[in-house]
Amino acid sequence: MSTDSLGGRLRALIIGDAQADRVVPPSGFTAQLTLFAAGAMAFLAVFALALSLASGRLADRWADELARAATLRINAPAEQRTAQTEAALKILRQTPGVASARAFTAEEQAALLAPWFGAALPLDALPVPQLIEVIEDDPGYDATGLRLRLQAEVPGAVLDDHTRWREPLVDAARSLRLLAVVSILLIAGAMGAMITLAANAALAANAQVIEVLRLVGAQDGYIAQAFIRRFTLRALSGAAVGMGFGMLGVWLMPAASDEGGFLTGLGFQGFGWLLPLAIPLLGALVAYIATSRAAKKRLGDLT
């Protein structure tokens, strides 16, 4: 398609033709269906897009937080716990690839257990293991070799590199992101199907008018352009309204918080708020393609 032809189509789509526009009913079932379908699908697309972006952030955050951290538990009798803790810290500080290692204080361990056992948990009266936080450095440490050395020198030490926790969580977040992308594609397909039905209904209802236009010399492209323009603009306006309500709904959702976990913070962040602005344009593109195909097929059947 040449640049002049594309520019001509864009001008015809924006400016239109008053005579040709009379072919398409300005109101009625088809207009309402187009506006409702575009608005509803844009509303759902905003939430699907927000879920996709939030899932991506969640996957990256979980991966970053868990990839470089490990926990060493000292399961030893109370009289041996301090000595084994010091021995484990010494080994960790001598291990290549370990950036830092520190033992949790009693207050920090109590805070970790407080959500399950309450704030007044008496750690001294319970056999709670001593926890050591291990931060990995680039390029990382040899976990197998470190476990073997700890097993030989600190019998009560158990190294947990969070692999069994990290991989399922990251996979789940990535699956949510993929599901959101698939949802956006399904939304676009459903919108295209409903607009196709509306365009077919409008074309069938105006079959006699189309025949008259043909008799006076109107080309099928001229007639089709009227339907394409009207349905594209309806979809654009409906999608813009739906996008506005969707962004308002996302803005009203709870902000990210540690208490809410992954159930909060599902909105947009920073320049992400600009991404939904593309939804009305994509809706108009879907309507343009769907109406073009419907008009071409229907006008061919009416020949």
Side-chain angles (χ1 to χ4, degrees), residues 66-271:
L66 297 176
R68 297 297 179 185
T71 303
L72 186 67
R73 300 193 309 274
I74 306 297
N75 300 313
E79 62 273 11
Q80 301 178 13
R81 192 174 302 160
T82 301
Q84 291 201 21
T85 300
E86 292 298 328
L89 287 171
K90 181 179 179 181
I91 293 173
L92 291 170
R93 288 163 184 160
Q94 295 173 351
T95 302
V98 174
S100 64
R102 71 176 187 89
F104 281 93
T105 63
E107 291 76 13
E108 289 175 326
Q109 296 198 173
L112 290 174
L113 297 174
W116 289 272
F117 300 102
L121 180 67
L123 290 182
D124 296 337
L126 296 175
V128 178
Q130 173 64 53
L131 300 180
I132 298 176
E133 180 186 45
V134 182
I135 304 299
E136 183 179 358
D137 196 4
D138 289 327
Y141 58 86
D142 180 9
T144 302
L146 178 59
R147 284 191 176 95
L148 290 175
R149 184 178 178 186
L150 288 170
Q151 184 178 359
E153 301 184 31
V154 188
V158 178
L159 179 65
D160 182 3
D161 59 3
H162 300 163
T163 300
R164 60 174 179 167
W165 304 104
R166 180 175 67 248
E167 293 180 354
L169 289 174
V170 173
D171 289 343
R174 288 174 178 168
S175 297
L176 281 175
R177 180 165 50 184
L178 178 61
L179 179 62
V181 173
V182 172
S183 298
I184 293 175
L185 295 177
L186 291 176
I187 287 170
M191 177 179 171
M194 282 188 276
I195 291 178
T196 299
L197 291 174
N200 279 324
L203 287 161
N206 290 272
Q208 294 182 348
V209 178
I210 292 172
E211 290 296 332
V212 172
L213 289 173
R214 282 173 168 173
L215 288 175
V216 298
Q219 300 294 322
D220 284 353
Y222 175 84
I223 300 171
Q225 188 63 36
F227 283 90
I228 293 171
R229 177 177 181 273
R230 183 65 64 86
F231 278 86
T232 300
L233 294 181
R234 285 174 182 170
L236 179 64
S237 59
V241 174
M243 177 208 67
F245 280 106
M247 292 182 69
L248 178 62
V250 170
W251 180 71
L252 292 175
M253 294 182 69
S257 66
D258 294 335
E259 293 78 9
F262 69 92
L263 295 177
T264 58
L266 296 180
F268 300 104
Q269 293 183 359
F271 289 103

Side-chain angles (χ1 to χ4, degrees), residues 1 6 9-10 13 34 38 41-42 185 187-193 195-196 227-240 277-294:
M1 184 184 296
L6 179 60
R9 290 197 175 191
L10 288 175
L13 184 64
T34 304
M41 295 305 167
L185 295 177
I187 287 170
M191 177 179 171
I195 291 178
T196 299
F227 283 90
I228 293 171
R229 177 177 181 273
R230 183 65 64 86
F231 278 86
T232 300
L233 294 181
R234 285 174 182 170
L236 179 64
S237 59
L277 299 179
I279 291 177
L281 299 177
L282 293 176
L285 177 62
V286 170
Y288 180 89
I289 296 173
T291 310
S292 298
R293 294 171 60 90

